[in-house]
Amino acid sequence: MKFFIDTANLDQISKAAGYGILDGVTTNPSLIAKEGIIEQSEHIKAICAITPTPVSAEVLATETDSMIDEGKRLAALAPNVVVKIPLTMSGLQATKELSSQGIRVNVTLVFSAIQALLAAKAGAAYVSPFVGRLDDTGLDGLTVVEDILNIFGNYDFETEVIVASIRHCQHVHRAALLGADICTIPFAVIQQLSGHPLTDKGLAAFLADHAKVAAH
Ligand code: G3P
């Protein structure tokens, strides 16, 4: 399973790249706004300078033609930019057109397996179901991911599934068990993934035992 980081923070992206486990970056307008950025082009270029992995940059346009124009502008910023498009009928039309021109599209704001099927049929390279936000409504977001993976397998779609809106380590664990292609994970959760109290306790004991002998 590939690990993407879900942030627009340059420091977090640099640190995650340094860990040696970074396979991509996803941003969205809220994450860009959190960095105090109004016009995202220069910031997306800065992210692409940190990592050659796929970097999703989302359009703000909502009509098909303007989504296509904005998508082309974003894709021209760097070879690793993936254009992120929301799942609306206009978004599907834009996805079809951009994909047919060889531009990779990540269809976002997906909350059902049928929405994901529509995105795959439109030629999306990636589809992003939001598991945390589904959990918030009382559903189990990862059952939607399971359905998407089963449907894509039935028809041999090449669209990769990005499990998004990850809130905790259990989401990552279950996504991997399901065979999801990618998890896009906030920095705080990436840091939590390596932690285990028995690892800390065991390391402290190893070092203490060594220190006892070394002191003699
Ligand atoms: O980037 C899309 C998605 O991961 C957003 O997550 O935490 O805002 O639901 P969240």
Short mmCIF file of all heavy atoms in Angstrom, two decimals, residues 54-98:
data_model
loop_
_atom_site.label_atom_id
_atom_site.label_comp_id
_atom_site.label_asym_id
_atom_site.label_seq_id
_atom_site.Cartn_x
_atom_site.Cartn_y
_atom_site.Cartn_z
N PRO A 54 3.50 11.77 -6.96
CA PRO A 54 2.28 12.48 -7.37
C PRO A 54 1.79 13.48 -6.32
O PRO A 54 1.73 13.14 -5.13
CB PRO A 54 1.26 11.35 -7.55
CG PRO A 54 2.07 10.11 -7.76
CD PRO A 54 3.34 10.31 -6.97
N VAL A 55 1.46 14.70 -6.76
CA VAL A 55 0.98 15.76 -5.87
C VAL A 55 -0.39 16.21 -6.38
O VAL A 55 -0.49 16.78 -7.46
CB VAL A 55 1.97 16.96 -5.84
CG1 VAL A 55 1.38 18.13 -5.06
CG2 VAL A 55 3.32 16.53 -5.28
N SER A 56 -1.43 15.94 -5.61
CA SER A 56 -2.78 16.34 -6.03
C SER A 56 -3.05 17.79 -5.68
O SER A 56 -2.89 18.19 -4.52
CB SER A 56 -3.84 15.46 -5.34
OG SER A 56 -3.86 14.17 -5.86
N ALA A 57 -3.49 18.55 -6.69
CA ALA A 57 -3.87 19.95 -6.50
C ALA A 57 -5.29 20.12 -7.01
O ALA A 57 -5.60 19.73 -8.15
CB ALA A 57 -2.91 20.86 -7.28
N GLU A 58 -6.15 20.69 -6.17
CA GLU A 58 -7.59 20.69 -6.48
C GLU A 58 -8.02 21.96 -7.21
O GLU A 58 -7.58 23.07 -6.87
CB GLU A 58 -8.39 20.52 -5.18
CG GLU A 58 -9.88 20.32 -5.40
CD GLU A 58 -10.55 19.67 -4.19
OE1 GLU A 58 -9.85 19.04 -3.35
OE2 GLU A 58 -11.78 19.78 -4.08
N VAL A 59 -8.93 21.80 -8.17
CA VAL A 59 -9.49 22.97 -8.86
C VAL A 59 -10.50 23.66 -7.94
O VAL A 59 -11.14 23.01 -7.12
CB VAL A 59 -10.18 22.57 -10.19
CG1 VAL A 59 -9.21 21.95 -11.17
CG2 VAL A 59 -11.37 21.65 -9.95
N LEU A 60 -10.62 24.97 -8.13
CA LEU A 60 -11.65 25.73 -7.42
C LEU A 60 -12.87 25.96 -8.31
O LEU A 60 -13.97 26.23 -7.83
CB LEU A 60 -11.09 27.07 -6.95
CG LEU A 60 -10.07 26.99 -5.81
CD1 LEU A 60 -9.35 28.32 -5.63
CD2 LEU A 60 -10.73 26.56 -4.51
N ALA A 61 -12.67 25.82 -9.62
CA ALA A 61 -13.77 26.01 -10.57
C ALA A 61 -14.83 24.93 -10.36
O ALA A 61 -14.52 23.83 -9.89
CB ALA A 61 -13.23 25.95 -11.99
N THR A 62 -16.07 25.26 -10.74
CA THR A 62 -17.16 24.29 -10.56
C THR A 62 -17.89 23.96 -11.87
O THR A 62 -18.72 23.07 -11.89
CB THR A 62 -18.18 24.81 -9.53
OG1 THR A 62 -18.63 26.10 -9.94
CG2 THR A 62 -17.57 24.91 -8.13
N GLU A 63 -17.60 24.69 -12.93
CA GLU A 63 -18.21 24.40 -14.24
C GLU A 63 -17.20 23.65 -15.11
O GLU A 63 -15.99 23.89 -15.00
CB GLU A 63 -18.63 25.70 -14.94
CG GLU A 63 -19.62 26.54 -14.16
CD GLU A 63 -20.91 25.77 -13.85
OE1 GLU A 63 -21.33 24.94 -14.68
OE2 GLU A 63 -21.47 25.99 -12.75
N THR A 64 -17.72 22.78 -15.98
CA THR A 64 -16.84 21.87 -16.72
C THR A 64 -15.70 22.59 -17.45
O THR A 64 -14.53 22.25 -17.28
CB THR A 64 -17.66 21.04 -17.74
OG1 THR A 64 -18.66 20.33 -17.03
CG2 THR A 64 -16.77 20.05 -18.48
N ASP A 65 -16.05 23.60 -18.27
CA ASP A 65 -15.02 24.24 -19.08
C ASP A 65 -13.96 24.92 -18.22
O ASP A 65 -12.77 24.84 -18.51
CB ASP A 65 -15.65 25.28 -20.03
CG ASP A 65 -16.40 24.60 -21.16
OD1 ASP A 65 -16.22 23.37 -21.34
OD2 ASP A 65 -17.18 25.29 -21.84
N SER A 66 -14.42 25.58 -17.15
CA SER A 66 -13.43 26.26 -16.30
C SER A 66 -12.62 25.25 -15.48
O SER A 66 -11.44 25.47 -15.19
CB SER A 66 -14.10 27.31 -15.41
OG SER A 66 -15.26 26.81 -14.84
N MET A 67 -13.23 24.11 -15.14
CA MET A 67 -12.46 23.04 -14.47
C MET A 67 -11.36 22.53 -15.41
O MET A 67 -10.23 22.28 -14.97
CB MET A 67 -13.36 21.86 -14.12
CG MET A 67 -14.20 22.02 -12.87
SD MET A 67 -15.24 20.53 -12.72
CE MET A 67 -15.86 20.76 -11.08
N ILE A 68 -11.70 22.37 -16.67
CA ILE A 68 -10.71 21.87 -17.64
C ILE A 68 -9.57 22.88 -17.78
O ILE A 68 -8.39 22.52 -17.73
CB ILE A 68 -11.38 21.58 -19.01
CG1 ILE A 68 -12.34 20.40 -18.88
CG2 ILE A 68 -10.33 21.30 -20.08
CD1 ILE A 68 -13.27 20.20 -20.07
N ASP A 69 -9.92 24.16 -17.92
CA ASP A 69 -8.87 25.20 -18.06
C ASP A 69 -7.98 25.23 -16.82
O ASP A 69 -6.75 25.26 -16.93
CB ASP A 69 -9.51 26.59 -18.24
CG ASP A 69 -10.16 26.73 -19.60
OD1 ASP A 69 -9.86 25.90 -20.48
OD2 ASP A 69 -10.98 27.66 -19.77
N GLU A 70 -8.61 25.24 -15.64
CA GLU A 70 -7.82 25.30 -14.39
C GLU A 70 -6.99 24.02 -14.24
O GLU A 70 -5.84 24.07 -13.81
CB GLU A 70 -8.75 25.50 -13.19
CG GLU A 70 -7.99 25.82 -11.91
CD GLU A 70 -8.91 26.05 -10.71
OE1 GLU A 70 -10.15 26.06 -10.86
OE2 GLU A 70 -8.35 26.19 -9.59
N GLY A 71 -7.59 22.89 -14.59
CA GLY A 71 -6.87 21.61 -14.50
C GLY A 71 -5.62 21.61 -15.39
O GLY A 71 -4.55 21.16 -14.98
N LYS A 72 -5.77 22.14 -16.59
CA LYS A 72 -4.61 22.21 -17.50
C LYS A 72 -3.53 23.11 -16.93
O LYS A 72 -2.34 22.81 -17.02
CB LYS A 72 -5.05 22.73 -18.87
CG LYS A 72 -5.77 21.71 -19.72
CD LYS A 72 -6.04 22.36 -21.08
CE LYS A 72 -6.94 21.53 -21.93
NZ LYS A 72 -7.38 22.23 -23.12
N ARG A 73 -3.95 24.25 -16.33
CA ARG A 73 -2.96 25.17 -15.73
C ARG A 73 -2.23 24.48 -14.58
O ARG A 73 -1.01 24.59 -14.45
CB ARG A 73 -3.65 26.44 -15.23
CG ARG A 73 -3.94 27.46 -16.31
CD ARG A 73 -4.18 28.86 -15.71
NE ARG A 73 -5.32 28.90 -14.81
CZ ARG A 73 -6.59 29.02 -15.19
NH1 ARG A 73 -6.88 29.12 -16.48
NH2 ARG A 73 -7.56 29.04 -14.32
N LEU A 74 -2.98 23.76 -13.74
CA LEU A 74 -2.34 23.06 -12.61
C LEU A 74 -1.39 21.98 -13.12
O LEU A 74 -0.27 21.85 -12.63
CB LEU A 74 -3.41 22.45 -11.70
CG LEU A 74 -4.26 23.43 -10.88
CD1 LEU A 74 -5.43 22.71 -10.21
CD2 LEU A 74 -3.40 24.13 -9.83
N ALA A 75 -1.82 21.22 -14.12
CA ALA A 75 -0.99 20.11 -14.63
C ALA A 75 0.31 20.63 -15.24
O ALA A 75 1.32 19.91 -15.26
CB ALA A 75 -1.77 19.30 -15.65
N ALA A 76 0.28 21.87 -15.74
CA ALA A 76 1.47 22.45 -16.37
C ALA A 76 2.50 22.93 -15.34
O ALA A 76 3.64 23.25 -15.69
CB ALA A 76 1.07 23.61 -17.28
N LEU A 77 2.13 22.97 -14.06
CA LEU A 77 3.05 23.48 -13.04
C LEU A 77 4.25 22.58 -12.84
O LEU A 77 5.36 23.03 -12.59
CB LEU A 77 2.31 23.65 -11.69
CG LEU A 77 1.21 24.71 -11.64
CD1 LEU A 77 0.49 24.65 -10.31
CD2 LEU A 77 1.80 26.10 -11.88
N ALA A 78 4.02 21.26 -12.92
CA ALA A 78 5.11 20.28 -12.73
C ALA A 78 4.63 18.94 -13.26
O ALA A 78 3.42 18.67 -13.28
CB ALA A 78 5.47 20.16 -11.24
N PRO A 79 5.57 18.08 -13.69
CA PRO A 79 5.14 16.80 -14.28
C PRO A 79 4.43 15.86 -13.32
O PRO A 79 3.69 14.98 -13.75
CB PRO A 79 6.45 16.17 -14.78
CG PRO A 79 7.55 17.04 -14.34
CD PRO A 79 7.01 18.29 -13.74
N ASN A 80 4.63 16.08 -12.01
CA ASN A 80 4.01 15.17 -11.03
C ASN A 80 2.68 15.68 -10.46
O ASN A 80 2.13 15.07 -9.55
CB ASN A 80 4.98 14.82 -9.89
CG ASN A 80 5.61 16.02 -9.23
OD1 ASN A 80 5.85 17.02 -9.87
ND2 ASN A 80 5.86 15.92 -7.93
N VAL A 81 2.17 16.78 -11.02
CA VAL A 81 0.87 17.28 -10.53
C VAL A 81 -0.26 16.38 -11.03
O VAL A 81 -0.31 16.00 -12.20
CB VAL A 81 0.61 18.73 -11.00
CG1 VAL A 81 -0.85 19.13 -10.75
CG2 VAL A 81 1.53 19.69 -10.26
N VAL A 82 -1.14 16.01 -10.10
CA VAL A 82 -2.38 15.30 -10.41
C VAL A 82 -3.50 16.29 -10.14
O VAL A 82 -3.51 16.94 -9.09
CB VAL A 82 -2.53 14.06 -9.49
CG1 VAL A 82 -3.90 13.42 -9.67
CG2 VAL A 82 -1.41 13.05 -9.75
N VAL A 83 -4.43 16.42 -11.07
CA VAL A 83 -5.51 17.39 -10.91
C VAL A 83 -6.65 16.76 -10.11
O VAL A 83 -7.14 15.68 -10.46
CB VAL A 83 -6.02 17.87 -12.29
CG1 VAL A 83 -7.19 18.83 -12.10
CG2 VAL A 83 -4.89 18.52 -13.07
N LYS A 84 -7.02 17.44 -9.03
CA LYS A 84 -8.08 16.91 -8.17
C LYS A 84 -9.40 17.60 -8.54
O LYS A 84 -9.48 18.84 -8.57
CB LYS A 84 -7.70 17.20 -6.71
CG LYS A 84 -8.25 16.22 -5.71
CD LYS A 84 -7.62 16.47 -4.34
CE LYS A 84 -8.10 15.52 -3.29
NZ LYS A 84 -7.67 15.92 -1.95
N ILE A 85 -10.41 16.78 -8.80
CA ILE A 85 -11.70 17.29 -9.28
C ILE A 85 -12.81 16.71 -8.41
O ILE A 85 -12.83 15.50 -8.18
CB ILE A 85 -11.93 16.82 -10.74
CG1 ILE A 85 -10.79 17.27 -11.65
CG2 ILE A 85 -13.31 17.20 -11.25
CD1 ILE A 85 -11.11 18.38 -12.60
N PRO A 86 -13.75 17.55 -7.94
CA PRO A 86 -14.85 17.02 -7.12
C PRO A 86 -15.85 16.21 -7.95
O PRO A 86 -16.04 16.48 -9.13
CB PRO A 86 -15.52 18.28 -6.56
CG PRO A 86 -15.15 19.36 -7.51
CD PRO A 86 -13.82 19.02 -8.10
N LEU A 87 -16.45 15.22 -7.28
CA LEU A 87 -17.40 14.36 -7.99
C LEU A 87 -18.77 15.02 -8.13
O LEU A 87 -19.64 14.91 -7.26
CB LEU A 87 -17.55 12.99 -7.34
CG LEU A 87 -18.15 11.99 -8.33
CD1 LEU A 87 -17.62 10.61 -8.13
CD2 LEU A 87 -19.65 12.02 -8.37
N THR A 88 -18.88 15.76 -9.25
CA THR A 88 -20.18 16.32 -9.66
C THR A 88 -20.32 15.91 -11.13
O THR A 88 -19.35 15.41 -11.73
CB THR A 88 -20.16 17.85 -9.56
OG1 THR A 88 -19.07 18.34 -10.40
CG2 THR A 88 -19.94 18.33 -8.13
N MET A 89 -21.47 16.14 -11.72
CA MET A 89 -21.61 15.81 -13.14
C MET A 89 -20.64 16.64 -13.97
O MET A 89 -20.01 16.14 -14.90
CB MET A 89 -23.05 16.01 -13.63
CG MET A 89 -24.04 14.97 -13.12
SD MET A 89 -23.47 13.24 -13.31
CE MET A 89 -23.38 13.06 -15.08
N SER A 90 -20.48 17.94 -13.59
CA SER A 90 -19.51 18.78 -14.30
C SER A 90 -18.10 18.23 -14.10
O SER A 90 -17.29 18.21 -15.03
CB SER A 90 -19.56 20.21 -13.77
OG SER A 90 -20.83 20.75 -13.96
N GLY A 91 -17.83 17.77 -12.89
CA GLY A 91 -16.51 17.22 -12.59
C GLY A 91 -16.22 15.96 -13.39
O GLY A 91 -15.10 15.74 -13.85
N LEU A 92 -17.24 15.13 -13.57
CA LEU A 92 -17.05 13.90 -14.36
C LEU A 92 -16.73 14.25 -15.82
O LEU A 92 -15.85 13.63 -16.43
CB LEU A 92 -18.29 13.01 -14.28
CG LEU A 92 -18.50 12.29 -12.95
CD1 LEU A 92 -19.84 11.59 -12.93
CD2 LEU A 92 -17.37 11.30 -12.67
N GLN A 93 -17.43 15.25 -16.35
CA GLN A 93 -17.16 15.66 -17.74
C GLN A 93 -15.73 16.19 -17.86
O GLN A 93 -15.02 15.87 -18.81
CB GLN A 93 -18.13 16.75 -18.17
CG GLN A 93 -19.52 16.24 -18.47
CD GLN A 93 -20.44 17.41 -18.82
OE1 GLN A 93 -21.05 18.03 -17.95
NE2 GLN A 93 -20.53 17.72 -20.09
N ALA A 94 -15.32 16.98 -16.89
CA ALA A 94 -13.95 17.52 -16.90
C ALA A 94 -12.93 16.40 -16.76
O ALA A 94 -11.88 16.41 -17.41
CB ALA A 94 -13.78 18.55 -15.78
N THR A 95 -13.25 15.42 -15.91
CA THR A 95 -12.35 14.27 -15.72
C THR A 95 -12.16 13.52 -17.02
O THR A 95 -11.04 13.16 -17.40
CB THR A 95 -12.94 13.32 -14.65
OG1 THR A 95 -13.03 14.03 -13.42
CG2 THR A 95 -12.09 12.08 -14.46
N LYS A 96 -13.26 13.28 -17.72
CA LYS A 96 -13.19 12.57 -19.01
C LYS A 96 -12.28 13.32 -19.98
O LYS A 96 -11.42 12.71 -20.63
CB LYS A 96 -14.61 12.45 -19.58
CG LYS A 96 -14.72 11.72 -20.88
CD LYS A 96 -14.74 10.24 -20.63
CE LYS A 96 -14.81 9.46 -21.93
NZ LYS A 96 -14.56 8.04 -21.72
N GLU A 97 -12.45 14.63 -20.07
CA GLU A 97 -11.68 15.42 -21.03
C GLU A 97 -10.20 15.48 -20.64
O GLU A 97 -9.32 15.24 -21.47
CB GLU A 97 -12.26 16.83 -21.15
CG GLU A 97 -11.54 17.75 -22.10
CD GLU A 97 -11.45 17.20 -23.53
OE1 GLU A 97 -12.35 16.45 -23.94
OE2 GLU A 97 -10.45 17.53 -24.23
N LEU A 98 -9.93 15.78 -19.37
CA LEU A 98 -8.53 15.88 -18.94
C LEU A 98 -7.83 14.53 -19.07
O LEU A 98 -6.69 14.45 -19.54
CB LEU A 98 -8.46 16.39 -17.49
CG LEU A 98 -8.86 17.86 -17.29
CD1 LEU A 98 -9.05 18.17 -15.81
CD2 LEU A 98 -7.81 18.80 -17.89
#
